[in-house]
Amino acid sequence: MAKYVMALDSGTTSNRCILFNERGEMCSVAQKEFTQHFPKPGWVEHEPGEIWSTQLAVAREAMTKIGASAEDIAAIGITNQRETTIVWDKNTGQPVYPAIVWQCRRTSEYCDSLKEKGLTEKFREKTGLVIDAYFSGTKVKWILDHVEGARERAEKGMLLFGTVETWLIWKLTRGAVHVTDYSNASRTMLFNINTLEWDEEILKELGIPRSMLPQARASSEIYGETDPSFFGGRIPIAGAAGDQQAALFGQACFDQGEAKNTYGTGCFLLMNTGSKPVFSKNGLVTTIGWGIGGTITYALEGSIFVAGAALQWLRDELRLIDSAADSEYFAQRVKDTNGCYVVPAFTGLGAPYWDQYARGTIVGLTRGVNKYHIIRATLESLAYQVNDVLEAMKADSGMDLSSLKVDGGASANDFLMQTQADLSSAPVNRPRCVETTAMGAAYLAGLAAGYWKDIEDVKRNWATDKIFVPAIDSEKREQMLEGWKRAVACSYGWARKDG
Ligand SMILES: Nc1ncnc2c1ncn2[C@@H]1O[C@H](COP(=O)(O)OP(=O)(O)O)[C@@H](O)[C@H]1O
Ligand SMILES: O=P(O)(O)OC[C@H](O)CO
């Protein structure tokens, strides 16, 4: 019997491969960063070829590290940065343009024009999303409009579109399989989450030919097998999900009302809402969590664009810290932020504000504010943003969260986790394995391949590392939150051309 399930976790800044055993333990890990391209202010691109080559390299490296062969791998599950858009030639496999990354704001004005046409409600009802440059649809349109000859070739059926999992599956099968899963499809703004079909009316509005789109499939099923040239044998590719949905799965949030927050480059808070979509009145989006065995599980999501990336900004641009982890120590050199707030709206504000033109700001500066206050305020900004989303989620779902499960790189920061518990007045529960995204992908694939029997196996493998309980009084909390609201208001609309 095969010993492992392989998770390919293709994130925004790096590709990872983790081999899990039956108990959900990580037996081998390999990771490689890839290049971020910022060709213009607000634009973000990746090279699709580099996404593929680094992903393949880490998969081979993880196998080599423990001497695993293709026969040792029961299945591959793929999880990925979502919305990032790749268009390539069906015959040559050559991308026609770099991958336009989820953070890229280049289609903001076109999104405004859709809103001005009064299409907001229609898009929400069909796709569950707000109209925003974040999602893939307008990025595909941009490529077709701006790359010479692309629209003509797309109309002739010569071009294919995919998000990152689609691209990787296509590459791993040497062009034999062009699929996406429902969770990733639900992030394109082209997919009807009620009918589970690409939406003809939206495709027409955006001028996107149907023939470019992948087949939308369940998140846990065998899509195809890897070409033997890659790993020395065929391995079934048996699961795929967007990274945030995979984390919800990996955190074993299987019951309605269970939620997790991932603190990575951005922050993504998702709550399982069961088998019916819940439409938000408070700035959240409705998304597909996963589709398994003919059943769809929906989720409410609050997407925060800049979280851990703000720590990278402190490290790389301001050079106030040497590593993101140092922020924990420095933040505690002072007892508070001395009245200072950092709003890291570097690429606009996502949930619950959705202001494409907001930009980052630091407010409350006085002569006494030092670097430790700024570091602390930056870390606190992650917790404030998550709290804003939590409040919206409580209002939409009518449920009070008994605890919040957390994961992602920045969840290792105890100061941040304690601040979250304090600001949100709720216990924060950090699991022993915070690689829940990769774990979720592994489970989705392992369940389809019969490596695990059912979700009870997943639940059994989940264990708490530490619970952070609220430790400040409500007066202090209210005072901190009030200042944050005023700081956020200062960042609104800054990049709008008309001021
Ligand atoms: N100890 C820490 N404290 C605060 N932020 C951290 C810490 N460790 C990592 N980070 C931040 O978390 C992010 C990396 O987390 P990860 O889950 O790997 O992100 P992604 O999957 O989005 O690439 C980086 O933006 C980094 O700045
Ligand atoms: O790569 P991550 O972990 O920052 O996740 C990115 C999200 O999927 C974007 O929607």
Side-chain angles (χ1 to χ4, degrees):
M1 145 136 187
K3 296 180 197 153
Y4 312 108
V5 172
M6 176 186 279
L8 300 181
D9 179 359
S10 188
T12 308
T13 54
S14 72
N15 279 327
R16 252 187 298 242
C17 172
I18 305 183
L19 300 181
F20 289 95
N21 68 13
E22 221 181 328
R23 290 185 299 281
E25 293 161 343
M26 297 194 283
C27 300
S28 183
V29 182
Q31 178 168 6
K32 217 177 174 65
E33 289 200 1
F34 53 81
T35 325
Q36 309 290 312
H37 299 275
F38 307 105
K40 289 187 187 183
W43 287 32
V44 190
E45 296 177 354
H46 295 156
E47 274 310 321
E50 198 186 352
I51 293 178
W52 160 241
S53 61
T54 50
Q55 189 64 80
L56 179 62
V58 292
R60 287 174 169 161
E61 188 185 332
M63 288 171 73
T64 308
K65 272 185 178 173
I66 51 166
S69 63
E71 295 77 58
D72 294 323
I73 315 284
I76 296 179
I78 300 183
T79 183
N80 53 290
Q81 54 162 324
R82 307 163 304 164
E83 300 97 13
T84 296
T85 297
I86 306 174
V87 175
W88 67 94
D89 185 292
K90 197 180 190 167
N91 294 317
T92 65
Q94 284 306 312
V96 303
Y97 192 79
I100 302 183
V101 177
W102 58 277
Q103 297 152 319
C104 188
R105 303 272 95 201
R106 78 183 67 192
T107 57
S108 296
E109 285 178 20
Y110 175 67
C111 287
D112 285 345
S113 74
L114 290 174
K115 288 184 217 163
E116 277 152 22
K117 274 173 123 177
L119 293 171
T120 300
E121 272 320 301
K122 180 168 277 189
F123 272 72
R124 187 196 304 279
E125 279 164 22
K126 286 169 178 269
T127 68
L129 305 175
V130 297
I131 297 174
D132 194 274
Y134 174 27
F135 305 107
S136 321
T138 61
K139 300 181 198 289
V140 183
K141 176 180 162 55
W142 190 95
I143 292 176
L144 298 185
D145 288 346
H146 291 83
V147 175
E148 208 186 323
R151 181 167 297 284
E152 204 185 339
R153 284 159 72 198
E155 276 161 5
K156 285 186 187 152
M158 293 163 69
L159 299 186
L160 299 178
F161 152 72
T163 38
V164 170
E165 83 299 350
T166 303
W167 170 243
L168 292 175
I169 295 171
W170 195 84
K171 294 295 276 182
L172 285 166
T173 59
R174 283 206 189 272
V177 180
H178 185 224
V179 296
T180 182
D181 89 295
Y182 292 138
S183 73
N184 273 296
S186 75
R187 312 298 296 181
T188 59
M189 214 170 80
L190 304 172
F191 193 68
N192 189 315
I193 60 167
N194 308 291
T195 61
L196 305 182
E197 282 166 356
W198 299 110
D199 192 276
E200 292 298 342
E201 198 181 359
I202 294 180
L203 293 179
K204 195 156 164 239
E205 176 67 43
L206 269 60
I208 296 175
R210 173 78 183 72
S211 59
M212 296 179 76
L213 304 178
Q215 192 190 13
R217 303 263 290 266
S219 315
S220 179
E221 67 168 85
I222 296 176
Y223 311 118
E225 290 179 327
T226 56
D227 187 89
S229 60
F230 296 126
F231 304 116
R234 295 179 190 278
I235 307 174
I237 305 169
D243 53 10
Q244 303 310 322
Q245 289 95 328
L248 191 68
F249 200 86
Q251 287 271 30
C253 292
F254 299 129
D255 293 329
Q256 208 172 327
E258 288 191 303
K260 70 86 205 178
N261 185 54
T262 299
Y263 298 81
T265 307
C267 266
F268 299 88
L269 205 161
L270 272 76
M271 179 192 271
N272 180 329
T273 61
S275 58
K276 296 245 157 19
V278 172
F279 290 91
S280 176
K281 292 190 174 59
N282 295 284
L284 305 177
V285 299
T286 307
T287 202
I288 293 182
W290 48 80
I292 299 183
T295 309
I296 299 293
T297 297
Y298 291 89
L300 267 175
E301 170 170 333
S303 331
I304 296 160
F305 299 150
V306 174
L311 278 306
Q312 290 169 324
W313 168 72
L314 288 184
R315 186 193 62 190
D316 302 338
E317 272 72 30
L318 299 194
R319 296 181 186 271
L320 295 184
I321 50 178
D322 289 332
S323 75
D326 285 352
S327 62
E328 181 167 355
Y329 169 75
F330 288 129
Q332 293 176 99
R333 295 277 301 262
V334 286
K335 66 176 188 345
D336 57 27
T337 67
N338 203 357
C340 156
Y341 287 87
V342 173
V343 184
F346 303 146
T347 55
L349 283 169
Y353 303 101
W354 296 105
D355 182 346
Q356 309 192 86
Y357 301 100
R359 288 298 178 266
T361 185
I362 305 181
V363 294
L365 292 178
T366 53
R367 183 65 180 76
V369 170
N370 64 33
K371 85 173 200 176
Y372 305 123
H373 296 122
I374 305 244
I375 294 168
R376 186 173 176 124
T378 304
L379 257 186
E380 287 186 356
S381 76
L382 275 63
Y384 280 117
Q385 294 185 94
V386 169
N387 186 61
D388 289 339
V389 168
L390 261 179
E391 292 296 329
M393 205 148 276
K394 283 190 218 161
D396 275 333
S397 67
M399 286 185 234
D400 215 5
L401 272 183
S402 54
S403 85
L404 179 66
K405 289 180 173 175
V406 295
D407 54 60
S411 71
N413 189 312
D414 283 3
F415 170 80
L416 173 61
M417 295 300 100
Q418 185 57 50
T419 306
Q420 191 68 68
D422 291 344
L423 290 177
S424 302
S425 212
V428 166
N429 191 340
R430 185 172 62 198
R432 231 177 267 162
C433 175
V434 289
E435 292 291 352
T436 52
T437 298
M439 235 174 158
Y443 286 136
L444 287 166
L447 287 168
Y451 184 81
W452 284 292
K453 201 159 64 32
D454 55 35
I455 59 168
E456 293 309 315
D457 286 337
V458 181
K459 287 186 188 165
R460 243 193 313 278
N461 288 341
W462 194 93
T464 294
D465 160 47
K466 189 165 175 185
I467 298 179
F468 298 83
V469 291
I472 59 170
D473 60 42
S474 59
E475 194 185 336
K476 170 94 181 131
R477 176 174 175 266
E478 290 310 322
Q479 181 207 333
M480 289 172 78
L481 292 175
E482 191 268 337
W484 167 254
K485 291 275 177 221
R486 287 198 290 136
V488 170
C490 294
S491 73
Y492 289 155
W494 183 258
R496 209 173 265 289
K497 275 203 189 117
D498 49 9

